[in-house]
Amino acid sequence: MKSWIVSGYAIALGVIIGLVSWLFLSVVYKGIHVVWHTVPKQFDIPFYLFLVPVIAGVCIGLLQRRYGRMPRLMPEVMEERKDTGRIDYRLIGFTTLTALLVLIGGASLGPEAALVGIVGGLTTWFSERIRYVRQELGELQEVGHAVVLGIVFNAPLFGAIAAEENEQKKQPMLNLLATLAGIGTFYLLNQLDERPPFIIKFPAIESVQIDWTMLLIVLGGMVLGWLYLVSEHALMRLFSNIPILLLTTLGGVGIGAMALLYPDLLFSGEETILEYIEEWRLIPLYTLLLFSVLKLLFTAFCLATGWRGGHIYPLLFSSFTLGYFFSLLFDIDMTFSVVLTTSALLATAMRQPLAIIVLLVLFFPPNSWLYVFAVVAIVSKIPLPSFIHSPTNP
């Protein structure tokens, strides 16, 4: 009987998380539109695009200096849950404000990390007030993790499996049940919003080129995955002794410079991915490669300068763009090229093969799945070079 009670509360929790996630992502979407599009059109403010992230960086630094590093990254949230059995919710308001400043301020980061921390705190608050589920707090915390990832990427199985690969407790059905409730709630509410769907469907592979170019493309994806891990680790060590207010302001200056030079690289990359799927043939070859590399370095820079968030969206942007580059360079099927680069880069940088496979089959057609499985399975087993820092899992 108690399992039914826990399942019922897990579904209720999924609905609440769906509502919270929709509110949070809607504020981010509308905030970006107002700050970066409406205001510049209405008012002629010199250096406006540069000043926005600088001011955001100062605000983020002030908040972090007063309340600590926020929003917390997913490994930090899971470590707290492992050590204490709960997630502190006392600073959830300041965490939410900091996360909104990061995402609206232009950082090359996704919302999943911030939402896991916010939802984790709400889950603790929710569970501690209902005596029937106090003993199942750990299970419900894992449910919250699964629901957030499922909602952000519109992929129930990705949320459940990504949580499973990160957790010691194994409860895939409870995770999946709550995730479906959360995504259902989020989908219904999203009908009121203007946010476009993120998951895009690549066309079927029309031709396959099995030769040395295939190996080169996979190696290219792996190299960019290594580059991301090296740059993130190196920049964090380089900036480790800089006071937080100065550090986040430096991050704002870097983001402001990127806003003036390459605005396509701002934010998580979600909307730009939707644009590039239609326009990639019109983009110069060198620009595709440049954007693919710069996106990774820019993401590592944001994280190293105290602008905290998720890295999955930027990794997808970079891997898709690299795939377009190789497709033009070798005149091969676009979907085939993107499948190889994305599978190799994510397997290198994330090291979560099951979650990666479940996520990628949403993007790619059935006749590409064999290549997704093979590349992810092989690349994720290749040990990282000794000079590369281990990846941070979602």
Side-chain angles (χ1 to χ4, degrees):
M1 178 67 179
K2 194 167 186 178
S3 63
W4 286 100
I5 295 175
V6 174
S7 297
Y9 278 114
I11 293 174
L13 184 61
V15 172
I16 294 171
I17 293 172
L19 172 61
V20 171
S21 299
W22 176 77
L23 287 171
F24 180 83
L25 294 175
S26 294
V27 172
V28 171
Y29 177 75
K30 293 183 184 301
I32 289 174
H33 182 76
V34 170
V35 171
W36 292 89
H37 300 287
T38 304
V39 172
K41 288 180 180 178
Q42 298 293 328
F43 305 98
D44 184 15
I45 303 174
F47 301 104
Y48 174 81
L49 296 182
F50 177 80
L51 291 174
V52 165
V54 173
I55 294 171
V58 172
C59 295
I60 292 167
L62 291 172
L63 286 167
Q64 291 190 9
R65 189 169 68 177
R66 177 66 176 83
Y67 300 105
R69 296 295 177 95
M70 301 182 301
R72 288 173 294 175
L73 302 180
M74 276 185 268
E76 296 169 344
V77 173
M78 289 186 288
E79 186 66 25
E80 179 185 0
R81 187 166 73 223
K82 179 180 177 182
D83 293 341
T84 67
R86 65 193 299 279
I87 295 173
D88 191 359
Y89 51 80
R90 289 174 298 176
L91 297 178
I92 197 168
F94 295 107
T95 297
T96 303
L97 176 58
T98 307
L100 291 174
L101 287 169
V102 167
L103 296 172
I104 297 175
S108 176
L109 298 167
E112 66 274 12
L115 271 174
V116 164
I118 294 168
V119 163
L122 289 175
T123 302
T124 299
W125 182 88
F126 176 84
S127 302
E128 289 181 347
R129 280 155 178 77
I130 302 175
R131 63 185 181 90
Y132 290 108
V133 295
R134 285 175 186 167
Q135 300 301 316
E136 283 73 32
L137 176 58
E139 293 183 7
L140 292 179
Q141 293 285 9
E142 181 183 330
V143 165
H145 184 182
V147 176
V148 167
L149 292 179
I151 286 173
V152 171
F153 295 97
N154 195 26
L157 283 177
F158 175 70
I161 291 176
E164 289 294 302
E165 287 190 299
N166 274 321
E167 304 284 352
Q168 293 181 346
K169 295 184 178 183
K170 302 297 179 182
Q171 45 187 10
M173 292 309 298
L174 193 63
N175 285 342
L176 186 58
L177 194 65
T179 303
L180 289 172
I183 287 184
T185 302
F186 182 84
Y187 176 79
L188 290 175
L189 291 171
N190 214 38
Q191 305 307 304
L192 307 174
D193 210 336
E194 300 175 355
R195 294 183 71 240
F198 169 64
I199 298 296
I200 56 176
K201 297 292 185 180
F202 283 82
I205 295 176
E206 297 181 357
S207 61
V208 173
Q209 195 165 327
I210 308 294
D211 55 19
W212 63 271
T213 59
M214 181 178 180
L215 180 60
L216 183 61
I217 293 171
V218 170
L219 183 59
M222 292 175 61
V223 168
L224 257 65
W226 294 340
L227 175 64
Y228 172 72
L229 296 176
V230 168
S231 59
E232 181 184 35
H233 183 55
L235 287 171
M236 284 187 174
R237 293 194 56 164
L238 178 65
F239 298 149
S240 60
N241 294 322
I242 299 178
I244 188 61
L245 179 56
L246 178 60
L247 185 63
T248 57
T249 304
L250 173 64
V253 170
I255 295 170
M258 189 63 74
L260 298 178
L261 295 173
Y262 301 115
D264 277 4
L265 301 184
L266 297 177
F267 312 113
S268 65
E270 176 182 348
E271 292 192 29
T272 313
I273 286 174
L274 295 172
E275 295 173 5
Y276 280 18
I277 188 66
E278 303 290 341
E279 303 173 359
W280 65 275
R281 289 185 179 277
L282 305 177
I283 302 172
L285 187 67
Y286 75 90
T287 301
L288 291 170
L289 180 60
L290 176 67
F291 279 12
S292 182
V293 174
L294 276 184
K295 185 67 172 179
L296 293 180
L297 298 177
F298 185 39
T299 301
F301 172 81
C302 291
L303 288 169
T305 53
W307 291 60
R308 316 187 100 215
H311 60 215
I312 298 178
Y313 277 122
L315 292 179
L316 286 171
F317 174 93
S318 185
S319 57
F320 289 175
T321 308
L322 183 66
Y324 301 147
F325 165 77
F326 279 124
S327 177
L328 289 176
L329 181 66
F330 296 128
D331 192 25
I332 61 175
D333 185 275
M334 179 271 286
T335 301
F336 181 62
S337 179
V338 173
V339 163
L340 297 180
T341 56
T342 305
S343 301
L345 197 156
L346 265 60
T348 300
M350 291 175 57
R351 317 301 282 189
Q352 289 183 275
L354 289 178
I356 294 168
I357 288 171
V358 170
L359 178 63
L360 294 188
V361 298
L362 295 171
F363 290 94
F364 301 130
N367 69 342
S368 72
W369 291 352
L370 178 61
Y371 304 105
V372 171
F373 299 157
V375 174
V376 171
I378 294 171
V379 172
S380 62
K381 296 298 183 183
I382 298 175
L384 294 173
S386 59
F387 59 88
I388 293 182
H389 188 58
S390 297
T392 300
N393 290 330

